[in-house]
Amino acid sequence: MLYISYMPFAHVVVPAGALSVEKKQKIVELVTDAIVAAEEAPPALRPYVTVLVSEAAEGGWGIGGRGYTGPELRGLVREAAARGTS
């Protein structure tokens, strides 16, 4: 049970209103899986991995020194997807 004392804590921050509850739950599931795999931890330790999904306040999301509102950020993502870049 040594793993329990140092199992990672992941904090995922998303823009306010960007994800449904179901998508946040999927992020928690996938991030938990990734941590367990990266740690090469036994599956029995999965319940000890903590993942927090929180939302940045409107206008509190910044890239390259500029703050963005939710609609502006969604526009950037759409533009990047149209260009085929991330």
Side-chain angles (χ1 to χ4, degrees), residues 7-81:
M7 286 302 288
F9 173 93
H11 186 186
V12 179
V13 182
V14 299
L19 299 176
S20 66
V21 170
E22 293 79 13
K23 286 184 180 180
K24 290 176 194 174
Q25 291 171 343
K26 188 65 173 181
I27 286 174
V28 169
E29 177 185 342
L30 294 174
V31 170
T32 299
D33 291 344
I35 288 171
V36 170
E39 287 284 322
E40 298 178 354
L45 295 178
R46 193 173 193 279
Y48 300 99
V49 174
T50 300
V51 178
L52 171 64
V53 178
S54 56
E55 296 185 340
E58 183 63 29
W61 192 270
I63 300 172
R66 181 183 184 274
Y68 289 90
T69 64
E72 290 171 328
L73 190 57
R74 285 188 287 280
L76 288 176
V77 170
R78 279 192 295 275
E79 290 171 15

